[in-house]
Amino acid sequence: MSAVPDPSDRNADAPHGGPGRPPGLPGDPHGIPDLLTATAARCPEHPVLRLDEEVLSFADLDALSARAAHWLAGLGVAPGDRVAVLLPNVPQFAVLYYGILRAGAVVVPMNPLLKAREIEHCLADAGAAVLLAWHAGTDQAVEGARRTGTLLVPVEPSALAATLAEQPDGPPRTAGRGGEDTAVILYTSGTTGAPKGAELTHRNIVANVRAGVQVLGMVERDVIFGGLPLFHSFGQVIGLNCAVAVGACMTLVRRFDPQGALSVIQRDRVSVFLGVPTMYTLMLTHPQRAGYDVSSLRVCLGGGASMPPEVLRGFETDFDCVVLEGYGLSESSPLACANRSDRERIAGTIGIPIEGVRMRIVDESGTEVPDGTVGEVVIRGHNVMKGYWRRPDTTAQTVRDGWLHTGDLGTRDERGDFRIVDRRKDVVIRGGFNVYPREVEDVLYEHPAVAEATVIGVPHPTLGQEVAAAVVLRAGASATPEEIRGFVRERVAPYKYPRLVWTVDALPKGPTGKILKREVVVPEEESGRLKS
């Protein structure tokens, strides 16, 4: 699945988009544990993780993760075994993450909010040998592990520290694990069925770390905001692993809230912010924003969903920093494409592919379409997953001739910049016309009273689908659905504006803060309007 030079692909000659290897990292790592050991040797006393007053140095993380590897081997974990981790954003996540990898095993990170049946599915599907679960609220983990017969080990900070203190000093042996071996299995959200495990290799992740460091210009002593879940690919690879690779410190946040985030940025002098669009929106519109010193911010990366241009421009102005939009998915390790700070950026675009990766826009037959034409985004390069765990048929459907078919719709312009239009499954087909929710959402965000918005399609008896919008108003602002509807109607084609508009206190979101369209509930009075 590695990138193969193709003279017909314009990205092959782009400054950041051609096949090849991203710039090197200190120590020239081949596996994920090398990221840690190389940096620990170079700057052992530098802080790598902080959670409020708790701070771990690189020497601490190196020693503790080595001891964790010995401990796991004592539990019977062998190279290639899968070890599930059900932890919030705490330093113990990193200790166990690198410990599992140093033992030669495979990390299966899981959302600590999962219920027993969801935990059962992931454990059974992965064939996990052990489940390491946070000590608080382990009822669901206990039941999920019981149903699969998986060894459950509660993780309590003081108990874990005592256990690791009893383990031998020195690095463990991890023979037999190479760059093409699976390092992490990430279970997708399962919007189209039961969650599938995307297998990412050591090579996938190390190469993505190289690219992430390059895109963001990360340097030693940077402070990275750790508000994205570590069980998710964005927070884990671009946050934790990039910080470890360059000698930066990641300041952890257990649960994101805008005021808490602003406080952490001020307290820890955060220089690199990673987040989804919702985080940027909530911080930008927070009524006390001006009371916090955010002058340390240098660069931000948005991902997980498209960022409304109004939010991006407003954040750059108010926070006086560069905001880059990136694009990727778990199956692409995750970063595939991003804006660059040294290249002209156009709001609403995701820039150009990262080093060693190519992207194309293709039609349903897989043929590349002309610039400006909407088609499916496909990806090829070092970031494409090994496959879906134990699902060869599904893998073959998703990765065809080395190209990862994302299911996302996008365009490429004459400059080579890509733009995501929408998920294929999210497109609203109204009376035979395609309506891309992203386009309508961008207009909604231009309304001065709108803080958040999402656009969905709802069944219509004659048109097939009708365009509908759920809106969250800014604090202290007021606007009626009729006013909002009229605002959009003046700015888009007649078939695009939402006939159904309603306001809500909050929109449903996933663990990263991404708006979950599938969970948006249409009020009965709005549904009734379709029948009248």
Side-chain angles (χ1 to χ4, degrees):
M1 297 180 187
S2 60
V4 178
D6 182 348
S8 68
D9 187 347
R10 190 175 58 189
N11 288 327
D13 299 319
H16 300 285
R21 184 181 181 187
L25 292 170
D28 193 24
H30 299 288
I32 299 171
D34 296 337
L35 300 173
L36 173 59
T37 55
T39 307
R42 189 177 76 253
C43 48
E45 300 309 314
H46 287 191
V48 60
L49 289 167
R50 174 173 181 170
L51 177 62
D52 297 327
E53 301 308 312
E54 183 180 1
V55 179
L56 281 186
S57 69
F58 277 93
D60 294 332
L61 183 56
D62 184 38
L64 289 171
S65 63
R67 288 172 176 265
H70 286 296
W71 170 59
L72 289 166
L75 293 177
V77 173
D81 282 350
R82 279 75 60 204
V83 178
V85 178
L86 196 71
L87 266 65
N89 277 19
V90 291
Q92 289 77 17
F93 182 102
V95 170
L96 296 173
Y97 177 86
Y98 290 107
I100 293 166
L101 294 171
R102 295 178 81 165
V106 178
V107 183
V108 184
M110 297 161 61
N111 185 345
L113 298 179
L114 292 180
K115 299 298 184 182
R117 58 182 288 276
E118 298 166 312
I119 294 170
E120 176 189 6
H121 167 79
C122 294
L123 293 177
D125 190 77
V130 179
L131 169 60
L132 306 173
W134 193 238
H135 66 100
T138 56
D139 291 351
Q140 300 295 323
V142 167
E143 180 58 20
R146 183 193 66 78
R147 295 177 186 177
T148 57
T150 305
L151 173 64
L152 171 66
V153 181
V155 176
E156 193 279 325
S158 58
L160 179 65
T163 297
L164 297 185
E166 298 171 354
Q167 305 305 311
D169 285 322
R173 298 180 64 183
T174 57
R177 308 302 290 170
E180 299 308 317
D181 286 312
T182 302
V184 176
I185 298 177
L186 292 168
Y187 277 86
T188 62
S189 58
T191 56
T192 56
K196 305 179 293 294
E199 290 185 74
L200 303 184
T201 66
H202 285 268
R203 178 175 177 268
N204 284 148
I205 292 177
V206 170
N208 216 250
V209 167
R210 286 192 181 102
V213 167
Q214 179 199 42
V215 165
L216 290 164
M218 285 187 186
V219 295
E220 192 174 295
R221 296 286 195 176
D222 261 334
V223 179
I224 301 171
F225 183 80
L228 291 168
L230 292 176
F231 65 79
H232 190 271
S233 58
F234 192 0
Q236 182 187 131
V237 177
I238 307 303
L240 175 62
N241 279 313
C242 282
V244 166
V246 299
C249 178
M250 190 174 196
T251 182
L252 298 172
V253 175
R254 288 201 191 203
R255 186 178 181 84
F256 178 86
D257 75 87
Q259 187 163 350
L262 291 166
S263 178
V264 167
I265 292 171
Q266 175 177 277
R267 183 195 69 190
D268 296 342
R269 307 300 295 161
V270 170
S271 53
V272 179
F273 185 89
L274 308 174
V276 297
T278 300
M279 294 180 176
Y280 291 90
T281 300
L282 293 176
M283 291 167 61
L284 180 63
T285 59
H286 194 275
Q288 276 85 53
R289 211 276 325 143
Y292 291 89
D293 178 5
V294 295
S295 60
S296 59
L297 281 180
R298 182 183 80 253
V299 63
C300 307
L301 181 65
S306 297
M307 188 179 301
E310 289 298 312
V311 173
L312 188 151
R313 286 189 286 262
F315 200 93
E316 284 197 331
T317 298
D318 285 11
F319 286 72
D320 192 23
C321 61
V322 172
V323 179
L324 307 176
E325 278 204 85
Y327 167 76
L329 50 163
S330 295
E331 292 87 342
S332 65
S333 303
L335 191 62
C337 190
N339 297 130
R340 307 294 198 275
S341 58
D342 61 351
R343 185 174 181 273
E344 182 186 2
R345 292 171 290 123
I346 301 173
T349 69
I350 53 170
I352 54 180
I354 61 173
E355 287 265 15
V357 169
R358 291 182 292 148
M359 287 172 47
R360 289 177 175 172
I361 306 296
V362 302
D363 60 20
E364 292 185 359
S365 70
T367 302
E368 190 168 16
V369 300
D371 287 345
T373 304
V374 174
E376 184 182 13
V377 178
V378 297
I379 302 168
R380 182 169 185 155
H382 54 66
N383 60 341
V384 174
M385 66 175 178
K386 187 176 184 177
Y388 289 118
W389 174 253
R390 292 176 174 170
R391 283 179 168 80
D393 292 344
T394 306
T395 300
Q397 294 169 7
T398 304
V399 183
R400 304 197 288 272
D401 296 325
W403 290 93
L404 173 66
H405 287 249
T406 67
D408 289 328
L409 298 177
T411 62
R412 185 177 65 182
D413 64 23
E414 66 281 356
R415 299 175 66 246
D417 283 304
F418 286 79
R419 183 186 300 268
I420 300 301
V421 176
D422 251 307
R423 290 287 299 175
R424 183 186 295 275
K425 63 182 178 61
D426 289 339
V427 173
V428 181
I429 303 177
R430 182 183 188 274
F433 291 96
N434 286 356
V435 178
Y436 300 107
R438 165 72 192 278
E439 180 185 2
V440 182
E441 287 163 357
D442 284 350
V443 176
L444 284 164
Y445 275 95
E446 293 175 11
H447 192 288
V450 172
E452 290 186 286
T454 192
V455 171
I456 60 172
V458 297
H460 189 279
T462 57
L463 296 172
Q465 285 183 300
E466 185 55 274
V467 185
V471 173
V472 178
L473 298 180
R474 292 175 180 261
S478 63
T480 66
E482 291 73 20
E483 291 170 346
I484 295 171
R485 187 184 306 113
F487 179 87
V488 179
R489 185 172 58 236
E490 293 176 357
R491 290 164 173 79
V492 299
Y495 67 90
K496 294 181 182 179
Y497 79 88
R499 266 63 173 183
L500 307 184
V501 178
W502 65 95
T503 59
V504 293
D505 293 333
L507 292 169
K509 298 183 178 71
T512 64
K514 183 177 180 179
I515 295 171
L516 301 177
K517 290 177 181 283
R518 66 183 182 275
E519 294 186 11
V520 173
V521 177
V522 182
E524 289 186 12
E525 58 269 25
E526 292 296 325
S527 297
R529 293 183 57 214
L530 296 178
K531 303 171 185 177
S532 59

